[in-house]
Amino acid sequence: MDMSVFDLFKIGIGPSSSHTVGPMVAARRFLLESGMLEQAVGVEAHLYGSLALTGVGHATDKAVILGLMGETPQDVDPSAVEDKLAEAEFDGVLHLLGAKPVPFSARTNLVWHKASTLPEHPNGMRFVLHLQDGSIIERIYYSVGGGFITAAGESQARAPETDAAPVPYPFDTMAQLLEHGRRHGLSIPDMLRANERTRMSDEELDAGLDNIWRVMRECICHGLVTEGRLPGGLDVRRRAAGLWKQAQQAQQQPLNALPHDAVQQVSLYAMAVNEENAAGGRVVTAPTNGAAGIIPAVLRYYAEDCRPIDPVRGVRDFLLASSAIGMLCKKNASISGAEVGCQGEVGVACAMAAAGLVAALGGSNEQIENAAEIGIEHHLGMTCDPIGGLVQIPCIERNGMGAIKAITAASLAMKGDGTHFVSLDSAIETMRQTGADMQVKYKETSLGGLAIHVVTVNHAAC
């Protein structure tokens, strides 16, 4: 396993890791690798499959342009995005990597191939750089989920910041990780920490984990106070802030509180994050943007409601253990809604959160595995059918439900001794096979499911 915890948890912008973050990274990478920027006189980006079908709703067009400008998901200012794009379109000029000016218009230089897919993944992109001598440089990339990208022919997702040095506890399956734990007497968070130490110091690791949690907290807090309507044409009202006010008022009047108010609070954390994501705000991919609310919601539940003795260590252990689950799902199945449906996004995030919560509460490795398996098992077959191609309905509410399921899964696992019938490895393989069997119209294409039973605006005409 050559992934790092910081490959699963990446700071970026909404609304989609595969349709926004990945294309932005790919566009920038194409220009960096071309080596011919000074000779450029034009550029085109061709989007295929799911990227073409739901790309406008997922802001793929904006992401590609920003990537060509040289912006990165972690550094771009979400509040400045629209102004940057409007200026480039008005001028009819794009400054490649912020330096080389070429003529450009989104209407003509972005080409949507809705009826075609490229061979290696549903999220395919083809970039073409036109040079002064009339020749071109052309390359194909794939956005394979969670912000990971590959070039055509690459066998694994590109993670530029990951050092592939040998790790002390290598694993490709949960069975291998559990065996390491039994043999060396170590917890899953301890083994993940040891693996990360081949890439960085403990201080660097902890600073990185603490920063991930800081951005998650800020995202929740901003989402809980921001009202209004979400962009995209569906005119969806942001609900988290209003419901949060009601929840706070109910706490001040306990006699009128409903039994489910405490449960609703956790779901509001998740919804707040995904409303921020839908608005193009700053979020942490966990492991995708479409499922970015589940882990922060369960983490805040842990930090505030579980009365931890050492919350700082608990949060770090949570993120390390949950990353192990995400790595296994990424390697042995998929975290791409366009490849396996929403079971690979909300389902995986639920499993990661459940495992992380058990780890933070001091559960055994076997209980961690059990919690993750429960989280996956009860999302098997979940389709990805966003209405209008937007990461709003049913995505936002699904995160709220996924957070509650994660806590339930952790509770069930903690009340047992770790023994269970279905292994996590079996559940992950089942998810992979289920995704392979799923019809394309249910895999982030907006051609089936809820997406065709609600009248929406025609984004292609906007």
Side-chain angles (χ1 to χ4, degrees):
M1 188 74 68
D2 58 0
M3 279 181 269
S4 165
V5 59
F6 300 114
D7 295 330
L8 271 298
F9 299 114
K10 296 186 285 288
I11 297 171
I13 62 171
S16 172
S17 51
S18 60
H19 288 57
T20 312
V21 174
M24 191 186 303
V25 172
R28 182 173 181 269
R29 176 184 168 185
F30 166 67
L31 293 179
L32 289 171
E33 293 181 343
S34 71
M36 300 292 287
L37 193 63
E38 288 303 314
Q39 305 301 315
V41 295
V43 67
E44 298 169 11
H46 296 254
L47 294 309
Y48 294 83
S50 177
L51 289 182
L53 288 163
T54 62
V56 174
H58 284 58
T60 304
D61 49 347
K62 299 176 182 179
V64 166
I65 296 171
L66 289 169
L68 293 173
M69 289 179 173
E71 298 285 357
T72 62
Q74 65 270 24
D75 294 323
V76 66
D77 180 1
S79 65
V81 164
E82 295 301 328
D83 287 344
K84 286 178 178 289
L85 296 171
E87 181 180 356
E89 189 67 20
F90 179 79
D91 293 341
V93 174
L94 199 63
H95 287 80
L96 303 181
L97 297 183
K100 176 65 175 177
V102 298
F104 188 90
S105 171
R107 290 187 293 272
T108 56
N109 294 86
L110 295 180
V111 185
W112 307 89
H113 299 270
K114 296 185 178 182
S116 303
T117 58
L118 296 176
E120 296 180 28
H121 194 277
N123 291 333
M125 297 161 276
R126 180 168 58 89
F127 295 98
V128 182
L129 192 66
H130 295 266
L131 305 180
Q132 289 175 354
D133 63 4
S135 63
I136 64 170
I137 296 175
E138 183 176 22
R139 289 183 183 162
I140 291 173
Y141 298 88
Y142 298 94
S143 181
V144 296
F148 291 88
I149 63 168
T150 66
E154 285 182 349
S155 60
Q156 296 187 27
R158 178 178 174 86
E161 303 302 321
T162 298
D163 184 352
V167 296
Y169 305 106
F171 65 98
D172 290 321
T173 65
M174 177 54 79
Q176 293 172 349
L177 193 56
L178 291 174
E179 179 57 29
H180 283 312
R182 286 189 288 267
R183 182 181 306 157
H184 300 283
L186 293 174
S187 70
I188 289 176
D190 287 342
M191 289 185 284
L192 267 291
R193 175 173 288 275
N195 287 352
E196 293 293 334
R197 280 204 299 264
T198 65
R199 306 177 175 102
M200 65 195 78
S201 67
D202 271 317
E203 292 75 19
E204 290 171 325
L205 173 60
D206 288 338
L209 294 173
D210 294 346
N211 189 49
I212 291 297
W213 176 219
R214 176 188 63 79
V215 175
M216 286 179 171
R217 288 198 315 271
E218 290 176 354
C219 187
I220 292 174
C221 291
H222 195 266
L224 289 177
V225 298
T226 304
E227 299 179 323
R229 305 275 172 171
L230 294 174
L234 289 182
D235 200 31
V236 172
R237 179 172 59 88
R238 296 179 69 140
R239 290 181 291 164
L243 292 172
W244 178 248
K245 288 180 183 177
Q246 294 179 20
Q248 300 312 294
Q249 293 169 356
Q251 287 184 353
Q252 297 172 9
Q253 302 175 2
L255 293 179
N256 295 323
L258 296 174
H260 60 262
D261 282 347
V263 174
Q264 184 199 35
Q265 190 161 289
V266 175
S267 68
L268 292 182
Y269 300 154
M271 290 175 62
V273 170
N274 281 83
E275 287 180 352
E276 285 291 291
N277 178 64
R282 177 74 66 214
V283 298
V284 175
T285 299
T288 68
N289 283 27
I294 295 172
I295 287 172
V298 178
L299 258 175
R300 180 160 168 171
Y301 164 78
Y302 163 75
E304 295 187 358
D305 295 318
C306 294
R307 298 186 293 276
I309 297 174
D310 187 351
V312 173
R313 177 176 177 177
V315 167
R316 293 168 181 169
D317 284 350
F318 186 117
L319 292 172
L320 288 167
S322 63
S323 72
I325 308 306
M327 292 174 191
L328 289 168
C329 293
K330 175 76 183 72
K331 180 175 182 61
N332 298 320
S334 176
I335 56 173
S336 168
E339 194 168 21
V340 297
C342 201
Q343 59 177 351
E345 298 201 35
V346 166
V348 171
C350 176
M352 292 172 66
L357 182 56
V358 172
L361 293 173
S364 69
N365 291 345
E366 288 73 21
Q367 289 172 321
I368 292 172
E369 187 221 6
N370 190 12
E373 185 279 323
I374 294 171
I376 286 285
E377 181 180 329
H378 296 288
H379 285 89
L380 289 174
M382 179 175 279
T383 59
C384 183
D385 50 353
I387 294 175
L390 297 164
V391 193
Q392 297 179 17
I393 304 172
C395 319
I396 294 170
E397 286 182 355
R398 278 186 180 171
N399 276 257
M401 299 297 292
I404 299 303
K405 283 187 177 183
I407 295 172
T408 302
S411 178
L412 287 170
M414 291 287 285
K415 287 177 169 61
D417 61 4
T419 59
H420 49 286
F421 285 98
V422 180
S423 71
L424 176 62
D425 292 329
S426 296
I428 292 173
E429 173 59 16
T430 302
M431 180 176 70
R432 186 193 68 79
Q433 293 180 8
T434 303
D437 291 339
M438 192 180 291
Q439 294 183 44
V440 170
K441 67 181 181 179
Y442 297 119
K443 294 193 284 190
E444 210 165 0
T445 58
S446 290
L447 296 175
L450 289 174
I452 64 170
H453 289 94
V454 178
V455 176
T456 64
V457 294
N458 181 1
H459 295 286
C462 294

